[in-house]
Amino acid sequence: MSGAFTSLSKAMAKGFFRDKATLFFSFIFPLMFLVIFGLLFRDAGAEKIKIGAVGDGPVLAALEQTGAVELERFDSVEVGVRKVRDGDLPGLVEATGDTVRLRFAASDQSRAGIVRGLVAGVTQELNVRASGQPPRFAFAAEQVEDASLKPIQYLTPGIMSWGIAVTAVFGAALTMVNWRRKQVLRRLRLAPITPSTVLSSRLTVTIAVAFVQALVFVGVALLPIFGLRLSGTWWLSIPVFLLGVLAFFAIGMLIGAFCKTEEAATGAANIVVLPMAFLSGTFFPIDAAPPWLQSVSKAFPLRHMNDGMMDFLVRGQDASALLVPCAVLVGFTLVVGFIASKVFTWEDS
Amino acid sequence: MTLTPPAIVVEDIHKAYGELKAVDGVSFTVAEGEFFGILGPNGAGKTTTLEIVEGLRVPDGGSVRLLGENPFPRNVALLPRIGVQLQASAFFEKLTAREQLETFASLYGIDAKTAGEMLDLVGLTDKADTREDKLSGGQRQRLSIACALVHDPDVVFLDEPTAALDPQARRNLWDVLRAIQERGKTIVYTTHYLDEAEILCDRVAIMDHGRILAMDPPATLVRGLDAPTHVILERGSLSLEDARAIAGADDVHADEVSLTISTRTPAPVLSTLAERGTLDGLQVRTATLEDVFLDLTGREYRA
């Protein structure tokens, strides 16, 4: 029996790695997203507010020292104001003698607020200093590592989960439909092997492929140009990874049990996976989405796989964070797998 | 008849799909080592009959004994002893001919080197490293037969192995089928080519509308018809009057290209023609299974 398992697994693995289109959609396509988004958002969150400046003086010097703004110098007020009016700059600081004048754009309230606050704050601080009086109220600020992540930190687990999910669903569904349509299932049924041998060898190939995908995606994201930093508890993502593969394998088997043709299976798999990809935080952090959308996304296994992968790969959560994603994924696998086994047929009839 | 038990005993099997009676009371016995053909037009119920015997479908009624055992429900002990050729696409994707055979062999716990032997048997040795999707129709058929034989089964089922093949590929396949029979296998095969069955089979069952109309060796069936032999000459080599005058000529008719003499005593007719030196382009056509089918059903055979 183990001979049958090994040779079936080998046959399926060869079929997978010899198919260029499958390889493209399993490896290159998700990597393209990782590379494009990774490079596109590389500097997000690090950019400074640019404001115009005319003249010179201690206020402008102090503004530059805050490190929060970048000054763009203009020779005349008119040119600078035009830039503000055109919406190219949020504000223009004009320093002549002891007077500091700020002109700001009314369209972007929050940026205007930041610019106003900054310029006013710096000016007042200089005023206090000039008065020679010790400040009455002390102000202290310190940096805290916040929960929001650099783009590559959420892109990697998200795109990786998505790529693995797509491959698992399509692989299982198309194998099932193709084998039924071409009578390979009948041929297997005529051989003295058990259905569980067939099922377990297909699952083994799916897991092996997912493992290679994970290595490739993380490997690329770790390159200095993208700069992924893995947390200390990254290895806790392995159970989430395995259960996620299992859940999507089950979904693929269900689609494969329902659909009669490869075309129908491809369509069905897309209908299942695409909305999940967009609503589960694959391409953007789901925390930024409106609350109702976050609730909807909790119904998707991909969301929980994403969460689990993110928690351990980059957020460094401890083992207690395993509970929710693992429980949801196991539940999904059991329910979907049960339905698939009920719907399954060996032959079209 | 020998004393060895028959390989297959089918008794009064029925199978209906809704209103359609696909198999309507079929019984037959196949002896060990026999080449048995099930013939008939498409939709006659050949394939369903075969699938019931193989254990792939459960009949609504009747019984099947295959090598002394019940083939359904799925009888794992029986599976290594039967070989079933499926449609010529039942292959693993992207695998070469040799890899297909090695994979199927391993399902039966059989050494991978059998693959080479099977490729040799079906004449695909030079295509061993060709992927299944790059093989021609005839090569795929031969490979699918090799896949059915890889575990050295006692009984081989072939469903329309020569369908959709060009004449040369069909003849190549006949050699393969004969080679299998020489190995002592029992072969049950379906076809809608009556001429082919006549050449290959020890015994045939002619099916139509889910029933067996006749079952005997092809020669017996044809002889039973008591049909005249047709001697066909080129038009103009003999006048109609002269032809009618030949002793033994029952009927003579002519069309634009040929002159046909129907006779029940072909020997004297042929010797008369030989004496007259009119043997050029002469053809002798005896009755075929198609005539048997026509006689049984009252309609022209159409595959």
Side-chain angles (χ1 to χ4, degrees):
Chain A
M1 207 53 56
S2 68
F5 170 79
T6 314
S7 66
L8 275 179
S9 305
K10 256 204 265 177
M12 280 184 269
K14 278 179 188 165
F16 177 87
F17 284 105
R18 283 176 189 177
D19 189 33
K20 291 191 184 68
T22 308
L23 284 183
F24 175 81
F25 283 109
S26 303
F27 292 98
I28 309 296
F29 192 58
L31 265 183
M32 272 164 44
F33 279 94
L34 189 70
V35 168
I36 291 169
F37 285 124
L39 292 179
L40 214 58
F41 298 139
R42 189 158 51 136
D43 298 324
E47 67 188 279
K48 294 174 179 176
I49 295 178
K50 212 176 199 185
I51 53 179
V54 179
D56 216 342
V59 172
L60 288 184
L63 261 178
E64 265 189 315
Q65 275 168 18
T66 62
V69 290
E70 199 179 314
L71 297 184
E72 189 178 347
R73 302 275 175 178
F74 294 100
D75 290 333
S76 77
V77 176
E78 286 72 38
V79 179
V81 169
R82 199 179 309 136
K83 284 269 186 187
V84 175
R85 230 173 239 143
D86 291 349
D88 293 341
L89 291 171
L92 176 80
V93 187
E94 181 194 354
T96 41
D98 287 343
T99 311
V100 175
R101 238 177 125 180
L102 172 71
R103 284 165 239 239
F104 59 88
S107 60
D108 189 340
Q109 297 275 344
S110 63
R111 284 228 281 183
I114 293 169
V115 171
R116 269 183 72 171
L118 261 171
V119 176
V122 167
T123 313
Q124 292 312 327
E125 202 184 322
L126 288 176
N127 278 337
V128 171
R129 221 180 281 168
S131 72
Q133 298 270 336
R136 168 86 187 277
F137 301 102
F139 173 68
E142 53 191 86
Q143 195 178 344
V144 172
E145 277 301 334
D146 56 358
S148 69
L149 297 166
K150 291 189 86 179
I152 193 69
Q153 302 289 90
Y154 69 76
L155 278 173
T156 310
I159 290 178
M160 183 171 121
S161 303
W162 168 68
I164 289 170
V166 168
T167 308
V169 170
F170 277 81
L174 290 179
T175 303
M176 193 53 54
V177 172
N178 183 271
W179 282 16
R180 190 186 306 110
R181 204 175 53 75
K182 286 170 57 179
Q183 292 193 349
V184 176
L185 278 184
R186 172 183 279 203
R187 184 67 187 78
L188 294 174
R189 195 174 160 208
L190 283 163
I193 55 169
T194 60
S196 65
T197 306
V198 182
L199 195 67
S200 58
S201 57
R202 176 63 251 193
L203 180 60
T204 304
V205 172
T206 301
I207 291 175
V209 167
F211 192 69
V212 177
Q213 285 179 296
L215 284 183
V216 169
F217 297 151
V218 172
V220 168
L222 282 171
L223 294 174
I225 188 167
F226 301 110
L228 173 73
R229 289 213 309 262
L230 287 180
S231 81
T233 58
W234 66 267
W235 49 274
L236 281 172
S237 68
I238 293 172
V240 180
F241 161 84
L242 287 174
L243 293 172
V245 174
L246 211 57
F248 288 105
F249 179 76
I251 292 174
M253 294 305 275
L254 181 62
I255 292 170
F258 263 115
C259 296
K260 295 261 181 271
T261 64
E262 279 97 333
E263 289 77 12
T266 306
N270 271 323
I271 287 172
V272 171
V273 177
L274 265 185
M276 249 197 250
F278 285 111
L279 302 180
S280 298
T282 296
F283 303 112
F284 58 90
I286 193 72
D287 305 336
W292 66 267
L293 197 59
Q294 294 202 37
S295 312
V296 170
S297 79
K298 290 227 168 78
F300 297 136
L302 188 57
R303 166 75 201 271
H304 296 278
M305 186 175 176
N306 265 350
D307 282 358
M309 300 300 272
M310 195 140 30
D311 279 350
F312 303 114
L313 281 183
V314 296
R315 284 205 160 116
Q317 302 270 36
D318 59 36
S320 64
L322 277 173
L323 189 66
V324 174
C326 289
V328 172
L329 291 173
V330 166
F332 245 97
T333 307
L334 290 179
V335 172
V336 175
F338 176 78
I339 301 172
S341 71
K342 291 287 153 199
V343 180
F344 174 81
T345 53
W346 287 90
E347 321 226 344
D348 297 324
S349 54
Chain B
M1 269 299 172
T2 56
L3 288 173
T4 45
I8 300 167
V9 181
V10 176
E11 275 172 1
D12 196 31
I13 52 169
H14 290 261
K15 182 78 185 177
Y17 298 109
E19 288 292 292
L20 178 75
K21 287 177 180 165
V23 178
D24 191 13
V26 165
S27 305
F28 60 88
T29 301
V30 181
E32 221 169 271
E34 193 175 24
F35 197 139
F36 184 75
I38 302 176
L39 323 182
N42 285 331
K46 308 185 296 286
T47 300
T48 309
T49 302
L50 210 59
E51 286 174 349
I52 290 171
V53 179
E54 292 158 357
L56 287 169
R57 289 187 200 281
V58 180
D60 301 334
S63 74
V64 177
R65 303 298 283 177
L66 175 56
L67 295 165
E69 297 198 45
N70 199 349
F72 42 79
R74 190 168 179 257
N75 186 340
V76 179
L78 196 55
L79 295 176
R81 301 183 62 196
I82 64 168
V84 178
Q85 182 233 353
L86 302 170
Q87 65 192 34
S89 60
F91 302 124
F92 294 104
E93 272 184 300
K94 310 274 172 197
L95 260 53
T96 66
R98 183 194 302 281
E99 287 168 337
Q100 305 282 354
L101 286 166
E102 287 174 352
T103 306
F104 285 121
S106 76
L107 301 182
Y108 295 86
I110 286 173
D111 199 281
K113 70 172 185 288
T114 321
E117 204 183 303
M118 287 299 130
L119 287 170
D120 194 39
L121 174 73
V122 298
L124 282 178
T125 307
D126 55 331
K127 297 286 173 191
D129 299 317
T130 305
R131 289 190 192 172
E132 47 94 18
D133 51 326
K134 301 276 188 286
L135 295 173
S136 74
Q139 290 164 345
R140 292 168 71 88
Q141 286 284 19
R142 281 183 277 154
L143 179 60
S144 74
I145 290 174
C147 287
L149 295 172
V150 74
H151 55 290
D152 198 28
D154 299 326
V155 181
V156 182
F157 295 94
L158 306 165
D159 193 6
E160 306 260 354
T162 53
L165 293 189
D166 61 70
Q168 186 55 47
R170 273 177 72 194
R171 274 174 182 75
N172 290 343
L173 202 59
W174 293 356
D175 294 337
V176 172
L177 297 180
R178 288 199 185 98
I180 297 166
Q181 197 191 14
E182 274 163 28
R183 292 181 158 218
K185 310 288 179 205
T186 305
I187 303 175
V188 179
Y189 118 122
T190 68
T191 186
H192 56 249
Y193 295 118
L194 300 183
D195 54 338
E196 176 181 296
E198 205 168 335
I199 294 165
L200 291 173
C201 295
D202 295 327
R203 213 152 50 92
V204 296
I206 296 181
M207 273 189 90
D208 197 28
H209 299 307
R211 291 171 168 275
I212 292 182
L213 304 178
M215 182 161 53
D216 257 318
T220 311
L221 285 173
V222 172
R223 214 175 300 130
L225 262 187
D226 193 28
T229 300
H230 299 288
V231 177
I232 302 154
L233 299 161
E234 275 174 33
R235 182 82 207 260
S237 56
L238 198 67
S239 73
L240 269 170
E241 292 71 40
D242 288 348
R244 287 204 177 97
I246 295 172
D250 301 329
D251 182 40
V252 176
H253 62 97
D255 58 26
E256 276 124 52
V257 291
S258 56
L259 180 112
T260 305
I261 305 167
S262 302
T263 174
R264 287 179 193 273
T265 50
V269 174
L270 286 171
S271 56
T272 309
L273 290 172
E275 279 162 24
R276 297 194 184 187
T278 49
L279 289 179
D280 287 348
L282 178 135
Q283 289 180 324
V284 179
R285 205 180 79 86
T286 52
T288 64
L289 282 178
E290 291 193 23
D291 300 309
V292 175
F293 186 85
L294 176 71
D295 183 60
L296 289 168
T297 62
R299 59 192 162 86
E300 201 78 42
Y301 183 81
R302 31 163 193 83

